[in-house]
Amino acid sequence: MDKDAKVIVGIIVTAIIIRIFLLFIAPISMFADPVIRYIPDAEKVLHGNFSFHDMPLFIILEAFWMLLLKGKLLWLAWKSTSFIFFIAILFLLPKVFRKFNLNKKEQIMLLALFSFSTWSILLSVTIMQDMMLAFFVLALFLSIENYLRNPKGKGIAGLIFFTALMILTKQTGYLLLAGFILYILSKKVNKTEIKKKTKIIFYLAIGGLLTIFWPIKNYITLGKAFIGIHPPAPSIHSVAEYLNIFIKTYHYFWEIPILEKVSLQGIFSNLYVLFYISAILVTAIISIITVFALIKYGKKHKGYIAILLPILAFIFYWIFVIFLGFNDAGRYLFPLLPFLFLFPVKFISEIKKPLIKRFFYLVIVAFCILSVISALGIALHIRNTDNQILEINDALKKINATGTFVTNDEFTSSALPYYLKQPVIFNLTRNVRDTSVPCNGEHIFFTKDYDVFREGDEYRVCRY
């Protein structure tokens, strides 16, 4: 085994070990969506109830675990679904790299960037659809490439099959399908191969049509085909507001905890400031060279840009036009990260000066280390909060608490109702403290970050 092969094996083994550790650390409430949507919807599936907006495939898989396991083993299995799909992606990546025409050094860089990005780490150990979606995206890409090279019956089945599974995993699959259609249209072919491109698009359309029953069901039963929320109308904002939303989007795209939200003391506070400055600098370098590379290789690799375009347009509309979901930018783009990271990898690979190239190698190493620290920090922070919510849940159940439950914290309003099996009111739409909640009355319980009060039949769960 040569040196480069050993590095690749080392990256894979390290990535797997980190994820196995985090499987036992990350709570099931990570990112809140699991306890708000996916787990409750999986429980519905067991009773034959499909009255939810989200595409059903991931939820059905999570429901399957409920038939076999209970308690902490079930919680672990729920998180392991994403981990299993990460392992499956590792088997696809060598084929993807060959389609990208990457040499060994480029493969190492792209594998490291993908495996150790914070989103990749966290999404492979939490109850989220995105890792599963990424697997079907790469499988569909390989199916398209294989059919272009050698059209066969099996290839047709793969195109239809993976298109349908991709969309049935998440609603953004329709945007990803649009990206793949643009990719096919962008490819240069001679006149005799135009028919082949037309056939591929036709088979992808069949795969998409096989999934249309779900948004139709949503529209008939829930009144809205795709999303369960009503987004605000587009509006014009001030320059300061756009700048603020850009800064927040940047932090969430790279999953860097925002400085003012981290409350550490003493030396840990100083260490975090050092981490924060380093993370901003390193991700800024990667962001800048990615933009330069997209411009430099835009013509040569226009097909990969075409794949990215629909989801990027959606992210721009979602965040900067209707001012919603800035914390989702990195997650929405995650299934296409291999296509995005291809550009900075090519840029670095073609640098002629050894010293400059070595500098960028160090930037990638620093990115991997900082991303792992960020993932561990986020997982441990949410685990700590989740453990306190579990303590509050136990305390409320011990006294047979009944009545109205309110909280001043959005995450608590997501996790506590799942454990308590009773609604918890949070009156704001943003992840900020609701100062209108009166944190007083009979003091009945406390944890490190919480106090629980009772006044009459109202229970107030206050986070500080």
Side-chain angles (χ1 to χ4, degrees):
M1 188 182 292
D2 61 28
K3 184 180 177 182
D4 289 337
K6 288 179 180 177
V7 173
I8 289 172
V9 171
I11 290 172
I12 291 171
V13 170
T14 305
I16 291 172
I17 290 171
I18 289 169
R19 285 164 170 83
I20 291 173
F21 172 73
L22 280 174
L23 276 174
F24 295 92
I25 297 298
I28 61 168
S29 60
M30 190 87 170
F31 299 125
D33 284 335
V35 290
I36 297 173
R37 296 153 58 191
Y38 306 135
I39 299 174
D41 290 346
E43 291 169 349
K44 286 182 180 180
V45 168
L46 288 182
H47 297 93
N49 181 354
F50 291 86
S51 59
F52 50 87
H53 268 97
D54 285 291
M55 288 298 186
L57 188 57
F58 176 77
I59 292 166
I60 290 170
L61 279 181
E62 296 301 71
F64 170 75
W65 292 118
M66 295 180 183
L67 297 173
L68 305 176
L69 302 167
K70 290 183 179 180
K72 294 295 177 67
L73 280 178
L74 176 58
W75 290 14
L76 184 62
W78 279 334
K79 293 181 284 183
S80 295
T81 301
S82 294
F83 176 70
I84 290 166
F85 276 98
F86 171 73
I87 299 297
I89 286 172
L90 293 178
F91 285 96
L92 292 185
L93 284 179
K95 296 177 183 178
V96 173
F97 291 163
R98 284 196 290 273
K99 297 298 179 184
F100 286 169
N101 294 315
L102 301 182
N103 60 40
K104 280 289 176 65
K105 290 286 191 299
E106 291 168 341
Q107 289 180 33
I108 289 170
M109 285 189 282
L110 188 47
L111 178 64
L113 287 168
F114 176 77
S115 299
F116 294 114
S117 71
T118 305
W119 277 114
S120 177
I121 294 171
L122 293 178
L123 290 172
S124 55
V125 296
T126 50
I127 306 167
M128 300 291 281
Q129 308 151 311
D130 305 88
M131 191 60 69
M132 183 175 168
L133 180 64
F135 172 80
F136 291 132
V137 164
L138 295 179
L140 180 57
F141 169 71
L142 292 173
S143 296
I144 291 170
E145 289 296 306
N146 292 339
Y147 185 86
L148 284 168
R149 181 174 51 84
N150 187 20
K152 285 184 178 178
K154 286 183 179 179
I156 295 170
L159 292 171
I160 297 171
F161 182 68
F162 288 120
T163 298
L165 292 182
M166 177 181 73
I167 295 171
L168 288 173
T169 300
K170 193 170 183 178
Q171 293 170 351
T172 50
Y174 288 110
L175 295 170
L176 297 168
L177 174 59
F180 279 118
I181 291 173
L182 290 176
Y183 172 69
I184 294 159
L185 292 173
S186 72
K187 291 184 79 69
K188 285 184 178 180
V189 292
N190 56 45
K191 289 182 179 179
T192 60
E193 291 185 310
I194 291 176
K195 191 175 179 181
K196 190 188 294 183
K197 287 173 65 172
T198 305
K199 283 183 176 180
I200 294 177
I201 293 172
F202 175 71
Y203 298 135
L204 295 181
I206 291 175
L209 286 171
L210 290 176
T211 69
I212 206 72
F213 71 92
W214 193 262
I216 291 173
K217 181 274 301 180
N218 284 346
Y219 185 78
I220 293 170
T221 60
L222 302 169
K224 205 168 183 66
F226 290 108
I227 54 176
I229 60 172
H230 297 279
S235 58
I236 302 298
H237 299 268
S238 68
V239 173
E241 286 176 304
Y242 283 119
L243 181 61
N244 180 54
I245 203 78
F246 172 78
I247 291 169
K248 288 181 177 178
T249 301
Y250 183 89
H251 281 75
Y252 279 101
F253 181 86
W254 293 112
E255 203 60 350
I256 303 168
I258 297 173
L259 196 58
E260 58 265 26
K261 287 192 175 183
V262 178
S263 54
L264 294 171
Q265 303 284 330
I267 189 171
F268 293 106
S269 177
N270 296 330
L271 288 172
Y272 180 74
V273 171
L274 179 62
F275 160 81
Y276 179 80
I277 293 170
S278 302
I280 292 295
L281 286 174
V282 167
T283 55
I285 292 169
I286 292 176
S287 299
I288 291 166
I289 64 172
T290 299
V291 172
F292 275 119
L294 285 166
I295 296 168
K296 182 177 180 180
Y297 303 110
K299 189 174 181 181
K300 183 178 179 181
H301 297 299
K302 62 182 179 182
Y304 301 135
I305 294 177
I307 292 175
L308 294 164
L309 278 178
I311 202 75
L312 287 174
F314 171 75
I315 290 170
F316 180 81
Y317 172 80
W318 194 249
I319 297 171
F320 294 100
V321 176
I322 63 173
F323 258 49
L324 195 66
F326 55 81
N327 53 323
D328 290 325
R331 187 162 60 87
Y332 282 139
L333 193 60
F334 169 74
L336 297 178
L337 277 189
F339 300 95
L340 181 68
F341 282 148
L342 170 66
F343 289 91
V345 163
K346 283 293 184 183
F347 184 88
I348 294 168
S349 179
E350 294 188 9
I351 292 172
K352 302 299 181 185
K353 295 183 178 179
L355 221 77
I356 298 175
K357 183 177 282 192
R358 200 171 295 123
F359 167 76
F360 282 115
Y361 286 162
L362 290 173
V363 167
I364 291 176
V365 171
F367 171 81
C368 295
I369 293 169
L370 292 167
S371 295
V372 171
I373 293 171
S374 183
L376 289 171
I378 292 168
L380 288 168
H381 171 69
I382 297 180
R383 175 186 172 85
N384 174 58
T385 303
D386 187 77
N387 283 341
Q388 292 182 68
I389 292 172
L390 283 168
E391 289 179 41
I392 293 168
N393 170 67
D394 292 340
L396 291 171
K397 284 183 175 177
K398 278 181 183 177
I399 62 172
N400 296 314
T402 56
T404 303
F405 298 86
V406 297
T407 183
N408 65 345
D409 174 64
E410 184 183 17
F411 181 78
T412 306
S413 72
S414 302
L416 184 56
Y418 176 75
Y419 300 128
L420 193 60
K421 304 304 179 189
Q422 296 192 60
V424 177
I425 299 167
F426 176 72
N427 292 317
L428 300 182
T429 56
R430 299 278 182 178
N431 189 18
V432 294
R433 297 289 179 268
D434 183 358
T435 55
S436 69
V437 175
C439 293
N440 53 43
E442 180 189 353
H443 190 257
I444 61 172
F445 190 73
F446 73 93
T447 67
K448 179 186 173 185
D449 300 314
Y450 287 89
D451 277 307
V452 182
F453 302 93
R454 177 172 59 193
E455 186 168 326
D457 62 352
E458 182 174 87
Y459 293 83
R460 299 160 183 168
V461 182
C462 294
R463 185 177 178 183
Y464 300 105

